[in-house]
Structures are given as structure tokens and as C-alpha cells.
Amino acid sequence: MSDATASRSLYWLRDNCPCAECRDPRNGQKLFQITDLPAELGIAAQTEQDGRLEVLWSDGHRSRYPLHWFAKPEQADAGDHRSEAGKRLWRAADFAAGIPEARWSDYLADPAERAAVLRAVQRLGFAVLREVPAVERQVLDVAASFGYVRQTNYGELFDVRVEPNPNNLAFTSVAISPHTDNPYRDPVPTLQLLHCLENAATGGDSGLVDGFQAAALLRTEAPADFEVLTRTLVPFVFRDRGTELRADRPLIETDPLGRIREVRFNNRSIGRLRLPAAELDAFYAAYRKFAAITLRPELQLEFRLDSGDCLIFDNVRLLHARTAFEPGGTSQTPEGAGGGRRHLQGCYADLDGLAATLAVLDRRAAALDRLQELFEGEGAAEYLGEAVTQAEHMLQAAALAQREGAPDHLVAAALLHDVGHFFDQHSQHAVTGRQLMEGQDNRHSHTGADRLARWFGPEVTEPVRLHVAAKRYLCAVEPAYRAGLSAASEYTLGVQGGPMSPEQAAAFAELPGAADAVAVRRWDDAAKVADADTPGFDHFRPLLAKLLG
Amino acid sequence: MSDATASRSLYWLRDNCPCAECRDPRNGQKLFQITDLPAELGIAAQTEQDGRLEVLWSDGHRSRYPLHWFAKPEQADAGDHRSEAGKRLWRAADFAAGIPEARWSDYLADPAERAAVLRAVQRLGFAVLREVPAVERQVLDVAASFGYVRQTNYGELFDVRVEPNPNNLAFTSVAISPHTDNPYRDPVPTLQLLHCLENAATGGDSGLVDGFQAAALLRTEAPADFEVLTRTLVPFVFRDRGTELRADRPLIETDPLGRIREVRFNNRSIGRLRLPAAELDAFYAAYRKFAAITLRPELQLEFRLDSGDCLIFDNVRLLHARTAFEPGGTSQTPEGAGGGRRHLQGCYADLDGLAATLAVLDRRAAALDRLQELFEGEGAAEYLGEAVTQAEHMLQAAALAQREGAPDHLVAAALLHDVGHFFDQHSQHAVTGRQLMEGQDNRHSHTGADRLARWFGPEVTEPVRLHVAAKRYLCAVEPAYRAGLSAASEYTLGVQGGPMSPEQAAAFAELPGAADAVAVRRWDDAAKVADADTPGFDHFRPLLAKLLG
């Protein structure tokens, strides 16, 4: 047994077999159950070559693993970014130069800006969007831009303003000290959004405290108290005429590795604990110590939400607060005598939707970076004896498409039609499961289309897939087309199987994307002009980004 | 210091002061922060009487506590019903006589039936609603009947049927062994609904396994393996073109008291664990043992969902499964050659909303029970020298209202107009915060209205509140009314302050509910007929239940 497998569990290895029989290539889901594996599992043979470990299992199954799987991880895994291991803990002074923020229009237009905002929420616990239209229900659009609204008994959204008959302190003008919302709910909403429609009040500023930082300080300064708060179940309760909620959770929740994972902090809704007096004393001493830490001035980040600002924050980490204000009239008496009106709309959402949106944005940015690398690296190489490099060829094809007013997806297909050449050389995965027609070297079109399918829809990938077949089609139906081929292209036509038969041509014309593939083909053929003035990859990047989004 | 406080933590006692200054009477939320309490808190004096402990604190605050708070709890608290302590663990044989189920129409019409279904989901983990209209999107109405839909990347709802290009095994016809859904989401949806629109397939039956039972068996049979599964973080992952989710959670999650709280079980989405080989071996051994337990025949509850059935189940406890079936065509080819079509619609929701709905239903049932007890107990007593008992008097008033075609809320007000007499005698709380007009004995109307406000809206409570004032009003504006009063009523008129002055009468007529109060008053006056044939409390209970709902 090699070092690679000697240091790995057999069931782990088999459970992670990446073959298409074991794992759905579309979504990576495993296609077997752990109990399907034999009770006596062994390795019959194994070899290592080309950066891969190939294993023949005792039950006859074959698996291939990339060897880099067996390298030691370089650093602690931030994992799912839910525990403190995936966060950057902060104090107010860390934002002396400004808080994480972006203009709503930039956030919408620029995926990088959007990713930066969402990453701030994930790692720091909050971000502020500015210049969000100050109209009712807009907060729901903000939530929908990265995730899903969590509806509660307060409704889809809630209004934070002075109410004549409030069922919650939030709907008064008194100061509210740092707390998390809805600890009596389980699962508790992990994100909160507060969108300021109007804030003409004197006072009514916002405050945030990093609850993970406060918990970490408690752990350092009073480890026994920290322990008490992680293991004491606190009954959080809320009750009015229409609802009655209760959740028994610790103030500080740690994961099985002991890492801080969630903080709940809200004296308003702590119910009556039923424990022996000694445990109550220990709990209240620890709770008061923790509460005092959350009030330390160096932890209080204060800022003001003005009309159009939307604060997004982690409700299982950050405590939020509000200073008192002079109410300028309630929702029933819109014109106040003293002070100005203050009106926020809020809603709840969840971290998992935000994390998924961020992961997809990151994946797409990485895809664009990878394509850009290809154009600027390997793509600069000679192109089968043509007068242009491969990158110039593809950029020219895209420029031609754009000049003719082609829709974005065809500009992209023209730009990317030959990327299969690069992936073929570098891919660790063979082209699988797809029948290549005998004797036809159109492998690069399929390789390219398959790889692009991770990022783009069929409107981009299918013209790429069919662009070699389109050449054979055109040679069959347009004699003049064949006459115009470059010498290199005429040469490869033979390798690719020659012109289609009339039956093949008729079948091709029926395929979805055939017309688009023919269009791409014509730009492909025309894009071999030496020293043409062609825009670089950067020019097309926003267009590609839009198609990815 | 008395025994009561000697055995209790001072801060606990003070944090739970029930006075209106410390706690909002509307929703029970505390109006102070734990850090507001003095660092040196002491008791200056205390007395016990009338079942209450009165404490004078060192900072001058006064608190009163019911002494029953200090009794030892009789049994272990089921708490928030989320851990195994709040569940009934089961095996398939426990449902030999049938599974928890109800007809949709009964569930809608009868609060007791609704509570039984929701309690089954909370305690057993599932229930089936029958004869739910087999129409698209109906599953969302089922979810809305007790809680809130949790939207995900699958949408608001998802279709479970054979798809031509599935992104998930659920959308094929293969067998799916017991699993929980969406373990890669955090927070994971705690409830799932599956509504069967059509099931003409051969096969395609449903299975459920109590994951808490399986985990409890593992704990008994292999405690070390149970420990391993509670402390190993498993990366659950799901990724397709539009999303990328990851959650690192243990297969078996315990609460800080070590009680089983959530189970996640889904080999399809377990990603690559990165741990030392010895830990991987330990994990896989424990995981395989747990998996084998979930497949034990005695744990497999099997049944068939037919058109109109809607299964509601706890997705952090129960594992659900599906047998293979012969697909009768996909959504794109509706007419299948072999087998029949199978089409379910599902959605996710959360346990907290369900628990709140159940708690409110229970609270309302308890309120009706309490009112019924009053009518059948104390209400049977003599009524201030009238010819009827107090209960007969109120029942007669309600019957009169009903005979005149009064709306439900006025029938209820007539029925309940004098309940303050009973609460006055038994209430542990004095009437607080409300100005009683000098010299007017209308206390019972306020007591009744305040107590009823826990359960009913102002359309019921305000006529009750004003029914004594309405008598003084009528005596002022209708000489004939006063002439018709019974001797006892004429006597109490004096105690109550006599007829209103013209100014008082004009002010009264302006009050919201004044006209309703006058109507109630007239039924009140007429409802003193000896031996009248009057329906009992049972007759009015459904009407009250509707007003509570």
C-alpha cells in the first residue's frame, strides 16, 4: 500500500470515489449509500501515475483519485464559515477608516462589488448598502438579491417606528441596548436587514457589537464563566395574543470542536430558568460578566442610518442597538411636534443563501480569471499554422460577432469556441460519457462545451459544441463556403471527417443551436487576419460576467 | 431569609420580577437589561402572605412573586420540545393500529383536530392529512395553516416527479433510502411537506424512520460510536450551476445537556472529510453502524401516499425514503407507456412556527375549558337576589342576542359580560393601571374585559367593559328604561353611581363600542327569567372558538 492510501481510511477513500457511477457529474451527489459498500472492503491493486492514484477494489470497482487530495492541508480549514474560524473578529477601532459599504447601484452592476459586500457580512458580520431607493418593501428586494426572506409572525417584513400600541420595545422611541433578535425562534433567523426610509429624529443612531469578540474576551478573561454560558440552556420566550414561541438555547453556542458558533443575547425575552440555586448563581454571574463586556466602549461601533441606507447583519453573531430618540409622531399621527420621524423597514433572511450566492460569485470570478489566464497565457501560442495566435483568433471572432450586432451569448460562443484546445491539454479529466462520432476529431469542441457548461448555459455551450460539425455541414450544403476555407482549415476538414452526407446535413440542421453554430463558424473562419486591431479579453469580460450571472 | 428565597439566586429572583415596571404586561418582555441591576443587590425586607412573596430590594424596588414559583418541579421539563426529552420515540409496530392522520376538512374546521395533527408532528415527527385538494400549489396552503414556508434555491415549492434532466436523485424513479433533506443548508429546514397530486405508479411508496430512535439505539449499543458521531463535523455539500451550499455539522447533534436534538443523514451530500486517518476510520465505522440501524426492518414505517394525501414531517429527526417505481412518463412526456405517473409537490417550513400555532391552540382550548368551568362551577351560584343563577343569566343573555341575529362577537360579549365577577374573586392580580371613576362600582366589567383581552379582541372585550356604564347611560337618556329595571338592578344603580349626567351621557355615546355595549345591556336586563329553556355553555363553545381563532 502506498503512502497515499496508508494514511487514509479505506471507507473514506471508497466513499469519495469520483467516478461517474459513484457520483452524479451534474451536482456531485453520491449515487450510493454507505451501507451499499461491502463489510469487508479491501484494495486488490493500486498504481500511481500522471498525478493520479488508481485503485482496484476487492469488489472489482475501480477508482481514480487526484494525488493532491492526499497532501496535508496547508492551514486550518475555515470550513462553512459559520464558526469563529471563518470570521474576522473586530472592535470599533477597526473601522476607524470606514465601515464596509457600497452603493446599491454598484452592488447591482458589479459582481465584484456584490461579492465584497456579501463577504463583509460573512466575515465581519455586517455591511451597509447606500442609496437604496427609500421606498416601502424595497428591503425585500435587497434580501432577494442574495437569498430568501424568512417570514415570521411579524410578517414578511416589519416596520420599525413608533407605534401607538407596541407589542415590542422596538416599536417605541426608547433606547435599546445591544441584543440579538428573535432568540425565542428555532431556527433563529441568521440574518437581519434594516432599511432606513426616513430618519429625521434627534437620536435614533445605530450601534453594533461583535458578539463573537465579546464571547472570545469572556473565554480569555473568565474561562469558567464562558463554559457556564455554553452549557446552560436558557428558555427564550415571546408571547402575545397571536403567538407563543419558546426556544431553549445557550447564550453562547459552540460547535463540537468548541469553537464559538452562535450568540443569542436578549434580556427582554429570557424566561424563568428552572435550575438549582447554585447553578442559577453561576449562570447569572457569568451572564452579567458577558453583558458587561458587550457594553465596553471599545466594542461599540456607532453610526447613523439615513434615508436610503440598508444595514445587513449577522443576527447570530452581532448585537445591535439603538439610541433613544425624540419621536416625531407615530404611524397614526404622522406629524410630530418635537423631533422628526424615524421609519425603518426590516426583514429576516439566512446566512446559507448569502453564502451560496457568494460562493457562486467567487466561482464565476474564478472562471473569468481562468479564461483570462488562458487568453493571456497558452492562448498566445501559434494557431495551427494560421497567421494569428489562438487568442487573437478567438478575440477576432468575438469582435466580428459584436460588429454584426450578434446577441451576447453568440459573442461569448465566438470568443470561447476553441477553449477546448487548452482544456484538452490541461484537464485532469478525460471526456467521458459522450459518443464521439467515429473518425471525427471534433473532440476539442466537446471538451470546450463540457467545461464551459460548468459556468454557462446551453445558449453559449451548444454553438461551441457544434462549431466543428457546422464546418462539415457548410462544406456539404455550400460549395462556395468550402472554396473559401484557409489552407489549414481545408487540411483539418479531412481529419474531422470531411463534408457531411446529405442525411447527416439534414439531421444537423434539426439540432437546437445549429443555426447559432453556423453563425459562430462563419466568424471563426473570418477571424484569421494578421495584425488586426482587436480588443483584448478585458473588453469581453463584463459581457461574460453578465452571462454567468 | 425565608426558605423560598434561601433556595433561589438573588439575580434570578430580581430578573424575574413580574411587576409592570419590569415586564411589559402585553407580551411579558422585560423592560430592563441585566446590567441595569445593581452590582450589590440585596433584600432589605420580605414577607409572605396570601400565597405571595413580597420582597423589598436594597435599591428600593418592590417585587411580588407567587409562592408556587418556588415549588420543586414535579417532573423533567420537556422544555421547547426540540430535544428527545420532548418527543415520543417510535418503531414501526407502534403504528400497527394506524398512523397519525386527519381529514383536511376536519383539520380546518376543528381546532382540537388541528392541535392533534400538529402535536403528532411535534411529538412523533409526522402526520398525514387526507383529502387535501389535489391541486398545484395547495401544499403552500397546508404550510400556511400552521407556519411559514422556507424558500430555498429549489423555489417556494418543488415538484417531485421524473424529470428529463434531474439535478437531484429525487427527480428520478430510483429507490431512495432513508435520509434527511438539505443537510447542506444551515439553518436546515426543520419541516418538510410532501403533497401527493397523483400516484398511479407501481412502487413509489413512502417510508419513514425515527432518526432519534436510531440514534438512541446507537447510544445504547455502541456509546463510543454515538460520541464520535456527535463530535465529528461532517461537510455536507451541494453544488449546481446556480448554487453552492455547504454546512459542517455532526450527523447527530446533541444539546448542552447531551440530549439528542437533531439528526442529519444523507450520504448523497457528504463531502470529503479532512481528518487524520485514525479519526476517519472511527467516523466511518460509527457512521456505518448508525446507517445499518436506520435500515433495520422494525424501524421502517411504510405507507403509500395517494392523491390528496399530504405528509408533514420533522426533517431534523425523521429519515424519509421512497421505493423505486416504474415511471409513467416524465413531466415532458406526460403519457407513459408502462407504469403510471407519480407527482408530488413539496415545500419546507419550520418547527418553531408549528410549535407556536400549537401553543396558541392549546392556550385557547385551555381558555374555553376555564370559561366552561366557571359556568359549570362558581356560575351555578345565586345571582344577587335574581331568580336565576349567574350562569343562567349570562347564557340567557347570549341566547337572546343570538335569537335577535346579533353578530358572533356580540353573542360572545353577552355570554361573557359578567365573568369579571368570578375573576375578581379568584384573580391573583389586582386590577392595575386603570382609572376607575370615583364612586362607581363597575370594577367587575373592567376585570372581565381585561381578563378576556388575553383571548379575545376589542370587539368582544369593549362591550363587556362598558356594559355597566351603558346602564347608567340608558337611565339618563331613556326614562322608560329605568322604570323597567328589576328591583336588584335599581338597587345596584345607586352603588354604580346613578344615571349619567347629560355631559357624561354625550361622552359615553362617542366611545367606540358604546352602541354594542347598549345592545349587550338590554340583553343583560332581559336575561333574568326563571326556568327559561336556555342552551348550555357547550352550545356557544364553537362560536367562542371561532372568535379566538
Side-chain angles (χ1 to χ4, degrees):
Chain A
M1 205 179 284
S2 82
D3 280 359
T5 50
S7 65
R8 290 290 151 182
S9 150
L10 284 189
Y11 283 100
W12 175 88
L13 198 59
R14 178 60 176 270
D15 194 35
N16 287 294
C17 174
C19 84
E21 206 178 291
C22 287
R23 214 170 250 281
D24 188 315
R26 284 176 295 251
N27 53 45
Q29 287 197 306
K30 288 179 200 163
L31 300 172
F32 62 95
Q33 292 299 317
I34 193 70
T35 42
D36 296 341
L37 300 185
E40 299 299 323
L41 182 66
I43 289 181
Q46 60 178 313
T47 54
E48 276 179 36
Q49 64 177 45
D50 298 337
R52 276 193 283 181
L53 168 71
E54 184 164 334
V55 173
L56 174 63
W57 293 95
S58 52
D59 63 351
H61 190 77
R62 263 177 211 280
S63 305
R64 285 183 187 148
Y65 307 91
L67 279 176
H68 70 80
W69 277 19
F70 306 103
K72 288 243 184 316
E74 311 75 45
Q75 53 185 25
D77 186 4
D80 61 1
H81 289 285
R82 282 296 303 272
S83 82
E84 60 183 314
K87 312 291 189 187
R88 209 184 98 208
L89 273 49
W90 53 259
R91 294 162 196 251
D94 296 331
F95 301 107
I99 59 175
E101 61 176 73
R103 283 179 8 177
W104 175 240
S105 55
D106 295 338
Y107 169 91
L108 288 181
D110 180 0
E113 193 79 359
R114 199 148 70 247
V117 168
L118 302 182
R119 201 181 323 280
V121 178
Q122 187 179 60
R123 308 292 159 88
L124 298 169
F126 76 107
V128 175
L129 290 168
R130 307 285 190 192
E131 299 175 32
V132 179
V135 296
E136 305 242 349
R137 303 182 64 77
Q138 177 73 30
V139 70
L140 299 177
D141 289 346
V142 178
S145 75
F146 62 75
Y148 306 99
V149 168
R150 178 95 77 83
Q151 206 184 333
T152 71
N153 58 303
Y154 298 122
E156 200 176 19
L157 59 73
F158 49 89
D159 288 282
V160 183
R161 58 185 166 196
V162 178
E163 295 284 354
N165 197 16
N167 76 337
N168 194 300
L169 271 192
F171 312 138
T172 67
S173 64
V174 304
I176 303 184
S177 61
H179 67 283
T180 64
D181 265 22
N182 285 6
Y184 40 77
R185 228 177 275 286
D186 184 13
V188 64
T190 50
L191 281 177
Q192 184 172 170
L193 288 82
L194 285 172
H195 179 217
C196 182
L197 296 176
E198 189 175 4
N199 191 2
T202 308
D205 289 355
S206 298
L208 291 174
V209 171
D210 184 352
F212 278 20
Q213 179 74 276
L217 287 169
L218 180 69
R219 182 172 52 194
T220 303
E221 298 172 12
D225 288 315
F226 177 85
E227 280 303 308
V228 165
L229 296 191
T230 62
R231 67 164 196 255
T232 305
L233 286 179
V234 175
F236 291 99
V237 292
F238 180 81
R239 177 188 165 125
D240 67 10
R241 221 190 117 212
T243 196
E244 184 163 335
L245 289 151
R246 171 171 175 179
D248 296 353
R249 306 304 300 275
L251 293 188
I252 302 172
E253 185 185 329
T254 50
D255 72 9
L257 306 182
R259 303 179 299 191
I260 299 164
R261 199 188 125 77
E262 295 192 355
V263 165
R264 288 169 195 78
F265 192 89
N266 193 324
N267 198 57
R268 276 180 285 160
S269 47
I270 292 186
R272 209 147 36 92
L273 285 82
R274 308 205 66 173
L275 292 172
E279 290 181 36
L280 289 175
D281 279 336
F283 168 76
Y284 270 94
Y287 171 30
R288 284 170 53 78
K289 209 168 285 179
F290 184 40
I293 291 174
T294 70
L295 295 180
R296 288 184 186 166
E298 65 266 30
L299 295 193
Q300 312 289 320
L301 177 66
E302 276 169 26
F303 53 92
R304 187 174 174 84
L305 291 181
D306 281 312
S307 175
D309 293 338
C310 184
L311 171 65
I312 308 168
F313 64 96
D314 182 337
N315 186 52
V316 285
R317 174 182 172 193
L318 263 51
L319 283 53
H320 62 293
R322 180 186 75 198
T323 63
F325 61 95
E326 289 220 20
T330 70
S331 60
Q332 293 199 345
T333 59
E335 303 303 328
R341 275 161 59 90
R342 183 177 188 272
H343 183 194
L344 280 65
Q345 281 191 326
C347 71
Y348 298 110
D350 281 304
L351 279 165
D352 54 358
L354 181 144
T357 301
L358 176 57
V360 170
L361 286 169
D362 282 349
R363 191 208 298 170
R364 289 171 179 168
L368 293 175
D369 288 346
R370 176 87 183 97
L371 289 172
Q372 183 144 12
E373 271 171 39
L374 290 180
F375 274 78
E376 292 169 0
E378 300 96 315
E382 192 190 0
Y383 174 36
L384 299 175
E386 303 283 0
V388 289
T389 66
Q390 297 194 70
E392 282 168 348
H393 166 60
M394 296 195 289
L395 290 163
Q396 277 187 24
L400 287 170
Q402 204 160 43
R403 210 170 302 145
E404 291 184 19
D408 285 355
H409 71 271
L410 283 190
V411 176
L415 180 69
L416 303 173
H417 73 275
D418 272 349
V419 291
H421 286 311
F422 311 123
F423 292 127
D424 256 357
Q425 295 159 28
H426 297 276
S427 173
Q428 289 183 339
H429 306 280
V431 179
T432 56
R434 189 167 299 282
Q435 295 285 338
L436 299 180
M437 275 183 277
E438 218 175 37
Q440 289 176 28
D441 177 25
N442 58 2
R443 187 157 167 247
H444 86 272
S445 66
H446 284 292
T447 306
D450 285 348
R451 183 64 170 251
L452 293 171
R454 297 183 188 181
W455 307 315
F456 296 98
E459 73 284 6
V460 174
T461 60
E462 294 321 286
V464 171
R465 187 185 306 287
L466 297 178
H467 83 276
V468 171
K471 173 177 163 189
R472 298 182 50 236
Y473 167 78
L474 285 168
C475 289
V477 301
E478 279 187 33
Y481 171 83
R482 183 170 183 180
L485 288 184
S486 72
S489 200
E490 174 63 34
Y491 170 79
T492 54
L493 175 65
V495 183
Q496 288 156 348
M500 286 181 176
S501 69
E503 295 73 26
Q504 286 176 325
F508 175 84
E510 293 292 312
L511 293 176
D516 281 351
V518 167
V520 168
R521 185 72 227 181
R522 295 193 198 272
W523 297 316
D524 177 359
D525 294 323
K528 297 171 180 176
V529 179
D531 303 321
D533 187 22
T534 308
F537 183 85
D538 271 339
H539 170 78
F540 296 105
R541 192 170 163 132
L543 177 150
L544 293 180
K546 226 193 309 175
L547 288 166
L548 289 169
Chain B
M1 203 179 283
S2 83
D3 281 358
T5 50
S7 65
R8 291 287 151 183
S9 148
L10 284 189
Y11 283 100
W12 175 88
L13 198 61
R14 178 59 176 271
D15 193 35
N16 286 294
C17 174
C19 85
E21 205 177 293
C22 288
R23 213 169 252 279
D24 188 316
R26 285 176 296 252
N27 53 44
Q29 288 196 305
K30 288 177 201 165
L31 301 172
F32 62 96
Q33 293 299 319
I34 195 69
T35 41
D36 296 341
L37 301 185
E40 299 298 323
L41 182 65
I43 289 181
Q46 60 178 313
T47 53
E48 276 177 36
Q49 65 178 47
D50 299 337
R52 279 192 281 181
L53 168 70
E54 185 164 335
V55 173
L56 174 63
W57 294 95
S58 51
D59 62 351
H61 191 76
R62 263 176 212 280
S63 305
R64 286 182 187 150
Y65 306 92
L67 279 177
H68 68 81
W69 278 19
F70 307 103
K72 287 244 184 316
E74 311 74 45
Q75 53 186 23
D77 186 4
D80 62 1
H81 289 286
R82 281 298 301 274
S83 83
E84 59 185 315
K87 311 291 189 187
R88 209 185 97 206
L89 274 48
W90 53 259
R91 294 161 194 249
D94 295 332
F95 301 107
I99 60 175
E101 61 175 72
R103 283 177 11 176
W104 175 241
S105 55
D106 295 339
Y107 169 91
L108 288 180
D110 180 359
E113 192 80 358
R114 198 147 72 249
V117 167
L118 302 182
R119 200 178 325 278
V121 177
Q122 186 179 60
R123 309 291 159 90
L124 299 169
F126 76 108
V128 174
L129 290 169
R130 308 285 189 189
E131 300 175 31
V132 180
V135 297
E136 304 241 349
R137 303 182 64 77
Q138 177 72 30
V139 70
L140 299 176
D141 289 345
V142 178
S145 74
F146 61 75
Y148 306 99
V149 168
R150 177 95 78 85
Q151 207 184 332
T152 71
N153 60 301
Y154 298 122
E156 200 176 20
L157 59 73
F158 48 88
D159 287 282
V160 183
R161 60 185 164 195
V162 177
E163 295 283 355
N165 196 18
N167 78 338
N168 194 300
L169 271 192
F171 312 138
T172 68
S173 64
V174 305
I176 302 183
S177 62
H179 67 283
T180 63
D181 266 21
N182 285 6
Y184 38 77
R185 228 177 274 287
D186 184 12
V188 64
T190 50
L191 280 178
Q192 184 172 170
L193 289 82
L194 285 172
H195 178 218
C196 182
L197 297 175
E198 190 175 3
N199 191 2
T202 308
D205 289 354
S206 298
L208 291 174
V209 171
D210 184 353
F212 278 19
Q213 178 74 276
L217 287 168
L218 181 69
R219 180 172 53 195
T220 303
E221 297 172 12
D225 288 314
F226 177 86
E227 280 303 308
V228 165
L229 296 190
T230 62
R231 68 165 195 253
T232 306
L233 286 180
V234 175
F236 291 100
V237 292
F238 180 83
R239 177 189 165 125
D240 67 10
R241 217 188 121 215
T243 195
E244 184 163 335
L245 290 151
R246 171 170 174 178
D248 297 352
R249 306 302 301 274
L251 294 188
I252 302 172
E253 184 184 331
T254 50
D255 73 9
L257 305 182
R259 302 178 300 189
I260 299 164
R261 199 188 125 77
E262 293 192 356
V263 166
R264 288 169 194 79
F265 192 89
N266 192 325
N267 198 57
R268 276 180 284 162
S269 46
I270 292 187
R272 210 148 33 94
L273 284 83
R274 308 204 67 173
L275 291 173
E279 288 181 38
L280 289 175
D281 279 336
F283 169 76
Y284 270 94
Y287 172 30
R288 284 170 52 78
K289 209 169 284 179
F290 184 39
I293 292 174
T294 69
L295 295 181
R296 288 183 187 167
E298 66 266 29
L299 294 193
Q300 311 289 320
L301 177 65
E302 276 170 26
F303 53 91
R304 186 174 174 83
L305 291 181
D306 282 311
S307 175
D309 293 339
C310 184
L311 171 65
I312 308 167
F313 64 96
D314 182 337
N315 186 52
V316 285
R317 173 182 172 193
L318 295 201
L319 284 54
H320 64 291
R322 179 187 73 197
T323 62
F325 62 95
E326 289 220 20
T330 70
S331 60
Q332 293 199 341
T333 59
E335 302 304 325
R341 276 161 57 91
R342 183 177 188 274
H343 183 195
L344 279 64
Q345 281 191 328
C347 70
Y348 298 110
D350 280 304
L351 279 163
D352 55 358
L354 181 144
T357 302
L358 176 57
V360 170
L361 285 169
D362 282 350
R363 191 209 297 171
R364 288 171 180 169
L368 292 176
D369 288 347
R370 175 86 183 99
L371 289 172
Q372 183 145 13
E373 272 171 39
L374 290 180
F375 275 77
E376 292 168 0
E378 300 96 314
E382 195 190 357
Y383 175 36
L384 300 175
E386 301 285 358
V388 289
T389 67
Q390 297 195 68
E392 282 168 348
H393 166 62
M394 295 196 288
L395 289 164
Q396 277 186 25
L400 286 169
Q402 204 159 42
R403 210 171 302 146
E404 291 183 18
D408 285 355
H409 72 271
L410 283 190
V411 175
L415 179 70
L416 303 172
H417 72 274
D418 272 350
V419 291
H421 284 311
F422 310 124
F423 293 126
D424 256 357
Q425 295 159 28
H426 297 278
S427 173
Q428 290 184 337
H429 307 281
V431 178
T432 57
R434 189 166 297 286
Q435 294 286 337
L436 299 180
M437 276 182 277
E438 217 174 38
Q440 291 174 27
D441 176 25
N442 57 3
R443 186 156 169 249
H444 85 272
S445 65
H446 285 291
T447 306
D450 285 348
R451 183 67 170 251
L452 292 171
R454 298 183 187 182
W455 308 315
F456 297 98
E459 74 282 8
V460 174
T461 60
E462 295 321 285
V464 170
R465 187 184 308 286
L466 297 178
H467 83 278
V468 171
K471 173 177 162 189
R472 299 182 50 237
Y473 167 78
L474 284 168
C475 289
V477 301
E478 278 188 33
Y481 171 84
R482 183 170 182 181
L485 289 185
S486 71
S489 198
E490 175 63 33
Y491 171 78
T492 53
L493 175 64
V495 183
Q496 288 156 348
M500 286 182 175
S501 69
E503 295 71 30
Q504 286 175 325
F508 175 85
E510 293 292 312
L511 293 176
D516 281 352
V518 166
V520 168
R521 184 73 225 181
R522 294 194 199 272
W523 297 316
D524 176 0
D525 294 323
K528 297 171 180 177
V529 180
D531 303 320
D533 187 23
T534 307
F537 184 85
D538 271 340
H539 170 79
F540 297 104
R541 191 169 166 134
L543 177 151
L544 293 180
K546 226 191 307 175
L547 288 166
L548 288 169

